[in-house]
Amino acid sequence: MIRLKTIIVLTVLLTTIKTNAMNIQTATFGSGCFWCTEAIFQEVKGISDVKSGYMGGENPNPTYKEVCSGTTGYAEVIQVTYDSDIISFDALLEIFWKTHDPTTLNQQGADKGTQYRSVVFYHSEEQKTKALAYKKALNEAKIWDNPIVTEITAAAVFYKAEANHQDYYSLNKDENSYCSFVITPKIEKFRKLFKDKIK
């Protein structure tokens, strides 16, 4: 009898673990400087981890200095781990597109270069389909005067950025003028638009 109860409990636990694992997903976005994008997505309910890094280039193990040259093919990105039972990929796409200008090619504000391009790196066919459909709908709705230039491409190897680029805003917001003049206004805009999605 005790063994049967143990088997039932273990079965329930394993089923729960498997179900929870299925809900944990990965998404990768580039929308200009990764300091800005990281700071926004760190506030989103359902996201358990946000890492700044590089994706889309060819040479392995790129450095920040190399990526900043604009010649490596890499984009500054953030990779997020999220619970799809709490926040959907569609909701993440909405946040992505509403918190940067997806109509400026290789540029966000004063940040210029291919490393600052607007890009969705999809991790599944479902993410690809949703991103393409969302982009098409936004273009047809003419939300912006110019067409969206966001690149939608398959995820490649993600290289985590150097330690001093992780949690950048939270660690430097009182000392760095870029944080005050560029990142803080973006976060304030995000908080107004997405009150229901803040942790």
Side-chain angles (χ1 to χ4, degrees):
M1 185 67 174
I2 293 174
R3 289 183 65 189
L4 181 60
K5 285 183 179 178
T6 303
I7 291 170
I8 291 170
V9 169
L10 286 173
T11 302
V12 171
L13 283 173
L14 289 172
T15 303
T16 303
I17 290 168
K18 184 178 179 182
T19 302
N20 288 342
M22 289 171 62
N23 298 338
I24 304 305
Q25 305 289 328
T26 301
T28 305
F29 303 110
S31 58
C33 173
F34 51 24
W35 298 342
C36 302
T37 317
E38 177 194 62
I40 289 168
F41 279 85
Q42 282 179 330
E43 297 206 350
V44 178
K45 185 167 44 180
I47 290 180
S48 59
D49 190 43
V50 182
K51 292 284 186 286
S52 290
Y54 318 110
M55 189 177 281
E58 294 182 4
N59 294 330
N61 303 307
T63 65
Y64 181 70
K65 184 177 181 180
E66 290 169 346
V67 173
C68 281
S69 72
T71 62
T72 65
Y74 282 98
E76 288 192 13
V77 300
I78 54 119
Q79 190 160 90
V80 305
T81 303
Y82 68 100
D83 187 334
S84 59
D85 276 353
I86 299 174
I87 188 153
S88 66
F89 185 67
D90 298 274
L92 295 180
L93 286 172
E94 182 184 9
I95 294 168
F96 165 75
W97 265 305
K98 286 187 177 178
T99 53
H100 80 292
D101 183 351
T103 69
T104 52
L105 185 64
N106 301 327
Q107 179 180 356
Q108 287 299 307
D111 295 325
K112 298 179 181 180
T114 56
Q115 69 271 30
Y116 298 119
R117 65 189 182 272
S118 174
V119 55
V120 176
F121 285 105
Y122 59 84
H123 292 265
S124 66
E125 285 302 308
E126 181 183 18
Q127 286 189 356
K128 176 184 179 181
T129 300
K130 287 185 174 184
L132 287 170
Y134 207 130
K135 178 180 174 179
K136 183 173 183 285
L138 287 173
N139 271 326
E140 289 175 350
K142 298 191 182 300
I143 303 296
W144 292 273
D145 292 334
N146 297 313
I148 293 171
V149 295
T150 302
E151 173 188 324
I152 297 173
T153 192
V157 178
F158 172 76
Y159 292 99
K160 185 179 173 183
E162 298 84 339
N164 59 308
H165 296 296
Q166 308 301 326
D167 300 313
Y168 189 86
Y169 179 73
S170 62
L171 296 174
N172 297 278
K173 60 184 172 184
D174 297 323
E175 300 171 8
N176 188 311
S177 59
Y178 186 90
C179 292
S180 303
F181 293 110
V182 179
I183 305 178
T184 297
K186 287 190 175 190
I187 290 178
E188 289 173 349
K189 177 184 177 183
F190 160 74
R191 288 173 179 167
K192 286 178 183 177
L193 289 173
F194 298 98
K195 291 178 183 177
D196 62 324
K197 291 182 174 62
I198 297 173
K199 288 180 181 175

